Amino acid sequence: MTTLGLVVAQFNRPITEQMEQEALEAAHAAGAEVSETVHVPGVYDAPLAADRLARLPEIDAVAVVGSVITGDTDHDQVITDAAAQRLADVSLERDTPVTLGVTGPGMSAAEARERVENAAKAVDGALDLVSELPDPQ
Ligand SMILES: Nc1c(NC[C@H](O)[C@H](O)[C@H](O)CO)[nH]c(=O)[nH]c1=O
Ligand SMILES: CC(=O)[C@@H](O)COP(=O)(O)O
């Protein structure tokens, strides 16, 4: 059975709790197990949590879910750019799939609610990578 770690951002919690549920349901539907869930304050804080999970020997892949809704400034862009870059770094540095189920930037709350399924896509992507990636030599 594939074992996943899940990182869930608490910012915009009414939306991310739906995303957490979508992620757990997708894992269950695929016959995978989420052995550890780490809740972080916001998306910006996700890379360290993803790194800690990726270091656990039982974790095959990590899915990260969160929602960054536009405020009055470009701060949403700063958060998502930093998080996406550092999550990609974690994946390569730990040789472990880390998938991006983060919605935004440039997104309203209504658009965020329409995109909660992206959490399930992140889980499905993580499982696809676990089965498709060749073993390292
Ligand atoms: N505005 C959003 C945030 N902001 C918080 C940051 O992600 C971070 O928790 C804080 O700067 C402390 O390091 N986070 C989201 O997930 N979504 C937002 O819309
Ligand atoms: C990205 C956000 O939702 C928020 O933390 C920043 O809002 P603002 O751009 O109004 O400072």
Side-chain angles (χ1 to χ4, degrees), residues 26-128:
H28 181 73
E33 177 194 18
V34 175
S35 68
E36 298 269 354
T37 299
V38 178
H39 294 100
V40 294
V43 164
Y44 180 82
D45 314 304
L48 179 59
D51 187 81
R52 293 286 172 91
L53 286 171
R55 289 160 65 173
L56 296 175
E58 70 272 22
I59 296 285
D60 299 308
V62 179
V64 178
V65 305
S67 183
V68 182
I69 294 172
T70 304
D72 295 330
T73 71
D74 289 340
H75 197 62
D76 60 333
Q77 191 83 51
V78 172
I79 292 167
T80 49
D81 284 354
Q85 183 61 63
R86 297 304 286 157
L87 289 169
D89 292 345
V90 169
S91 182
L92 292 172
E93 285 162 14
R94 296 290 167 206
D95 193 27
T96 301
V98 177
T99 57
L100 187 66
V102 172
T103 55
M107 183 182 69
S108 67
E111 288 168 329
R113 284 189 288 273
E114 288 165 8
R115 287 166 174 75
V116 294
E117 272 183 34
N118 284 21
K121 291 177 190 165
V123 166
D124 291 342
L127 296 174
D128 286 349

Side-chain angles (χ1 to χ4, degrees), residues 18-31 120 123:
Q18 288 181 47
M19 297 179 87
E20 181 173 359
Q21 197 56 40
E22 292 274 345
L24 293 173
E25 284 172 14
H28 181 73
V123 166

Side-chain angles (χ1 to χ4, degrees), residues 3-23:
T3 302
L4 298 178
L6 181 64
V7 180
V8 183
Q10 301 296 286
F11 209 99
N12 300 317
R13 183 63 185 153
I15 289 164
T16 66
E17 72 187 359
Q18 288 181 47
M19 297 179 87
E20 181 173 359
Q21 197 56 40
E22 292 274 345

